[in-house]
Amino acid sequence: MEEILRLERVSKVYEPNITALDEITFAVEKGEFLFITGPSGAGKSTLLNLIFRAEKPSSGEIYFENRPLSSYPRKEIPLLRRKIGVVFQDFKLLENRTVFENVAISLEIQGVSEGEIRRRVLRILERLGLSGRETQPVRQLSGGEKQRVALARAVINRPRLLLADEPTGNLDSRRTEEVMEIFEDLNAEGTTIILATHDEALYVERHRRVLVLDQGRLLNP
Ligand SMILES: Nc1ncnc2c1ncn2[C@@H]1O[C@H](COP(=O)(O)OP(=O)(O)OP(=O)(O)O)[C@@H](O)[C@H]1O
Ligand SMILES: [Mg+2]
C-alpha cells in the first residue's frame, strides 16, 4: 500500500500554554477513509488545519505524498491545496457571492474554460441537492445548505485527499445519510478521506479506522 500522508511527532502549542496537539504520529494509506474523533477541544480541527497548511506545527513534520509540508515555499501552497480539498467546520464561504461563484472559484483561478466550469459546477450542485440555488447569495442559505456548498467547493477539484471537519454538523439525519453516501462514493472513486467528528453515529458500523484524540493526544495510534 502507498502512503499519502504521514505525521511524525506533530505538536501544536498555542501561546501561552495550550497544547492543542501533543506528539501526534500516524500515517494514512492512499484510498483510506479515516475518522478522527474525540470530545470538543481534543484537537481535531487543529489537526486538519495543520494538514491543510492553514497553520504550521510547533514541532514535528507532516508529509503529504512523501514531501514534508515545511518544504513548501509560500508560492507553492496553492498547488498543494489543489490536491487537498477541505470542508471547514465554519465553512469559510464568501457570504456575499452566489453558490455558483463559491464553488467555481478555484477552477476560475486555474483558468479552466467557462463551459467546463459551468458543466462541472452544475453537476456537483445537482449531486448535493443544490440544483436551482446557483444564483442565490450564500448568506441566504440555511446552515445545512452552506455545509453542502462547502463540500461542493472542496471536491470540485477532484482532490486526492479530502479533509472534512464535522461535515454533517448542521444536517438533519436524512441529509447526513446523503452526505455520508457522497463521501463513500468519492472514496470508492479513489479519494482519500479524513473526516473529523464527535458524532459516533457517523462511524459505527462503517468498519473504518477511527483515531481517537483526547486533549491533544492520540489514544490509539
Ligand atoms: N487559534 C487558537 N488560539 C488558541 N487556542 C486555540 C486556537 N485554536 C484552537 N485552540 C485550542 O486548541 C484546543 C483544540 O481545539 P480544536 O478546535 O482543535 O478542537 P476540536 O477537537 O476541533 O473541538 P470541537 O469538537 O469543539 O470542534 C482547544 O483547547 C482550543 O481552545
Ligand atoms: Mg473542531
Side-chain angles (χ1 to χ4, degrees):
M1 282 295 271
E2 210 177 324
E3 212 172 80
I4 189 165
L5 185 78
R6 182 156 39 99
L7 280 77
E8 276 180 8
R9 303 184 65 176
V10 170
S11 296
K12 180 68 180 179
V13 180
Y14 289 111
E15 294 309 325
N17 63 350
I18 298 165
T19 303
L21 293 173
D22 190 5
E23 305 238 324
I24 302 295
T25 296
F26 68 92
V28 182
E29 302 285 354
K30 221 175 192 165
E32 241 193 290
F33 190 155
L34 176 70
F35 286 87
I36 296 184
T37 192
S40 184
K44 304 180 295 296
S45 296
T46 303
L47 185 64
L48 297 188
N49 287 339
L50 294 180
I51 297 169
F52 192 59
R53 195 66 155 71
E55 294 185 73
K56 291 182 184 178
S58 308
S59 61
E61 185 62 89
I62 298 171
Y63 300 84
F64 175 69
E65 296 182 332
N66 296 313
R67 178 172 168 187
L69 293 193
S70 64
S71 77
Y72 279 84
R74 201 188 185 78
K75 66 176 194 322
E76 276 187 52
I77 302 283
L79 284 171
L80 171 74
R81 292 190 179 153
R82 233 170 261 172
K83 299 178 197 166
I84 304 179
V86 65
V87 185
F88 292 101
Q89 191 164 14
D90 59 359
F91 316 137
K92 298 197 196 304
L93 295 166
L94 303 168
E95 293 279 327
N96 291 326
R97 302 285 204 90
T98 66
V99 169
F100 187 96
E101 287 166 339
N102 268 274
V103 178
I105 197 155
S106 73
L107 298 180
E108 277 162 7
I109 291 167
Q110 288 169 66
V112 176
S113 75
E114 227 167 275
E116 169 81 2
I117 291 176
R118 200 166 168 75
R119 203 173 56 75
R120 277 169 69 176
V121 171
L122 294 184
R123 191 174 51 197
I124 191 73
L125 290 179
E126 182 178 7
R127 190 166 174 186
L128 288 167
L130 290 164
S131 286
R133 301 305 193 112
E134 298 80 28
T135 59
Q136 208 169 351
V138 159
R139 62 167 191 281
Q140 295 178 354
L141 301 180
S142 74
E145 287 162 350
K146 286 182 189 179
Q147 199 141 38
R148 281 176 283 140
V149 174
L151 177 56
R153 184 188 54 183
V155 300
I156 193 79
N157 257 327
R158 304 186 188 110
R160 298 176 200 178
L161 175 63
L162 177 58
L163 308 173
D165 198 353
E166 296 290 358
T168 61
N170 292 277
L171 305 180
D172 59 32
S173 57
R174 190 177 65 106
R175 284 292 179 198
T176 294
E177 220 23 72
E178 283 173 15
V179 165
M180 288 308 291
E181 249 169 62
I182 290 163
F183 279 107
E184 292 285 1
D185 289 347
L186 290 165
N187 182 240
E189 290 162 18
T191 309
T192 306
I193 297 174
I194 303 179
L195 193 158
T197 184
H198 63 262
D199 180 7
E200 67 175 53
L202 294 193
Y203 55 83
V204 289
E205 295 179 8
R206 233 172 261 279
H207 308 292
R208 306 288 194 175
R209 190 154 65 111
V210 181
L211 298 182
V212 183
L213 268 179
D214 192 18
Q215 297 185 53
R217 293 218 177 86
L218 213 48
L219 297 189
N220 60 342

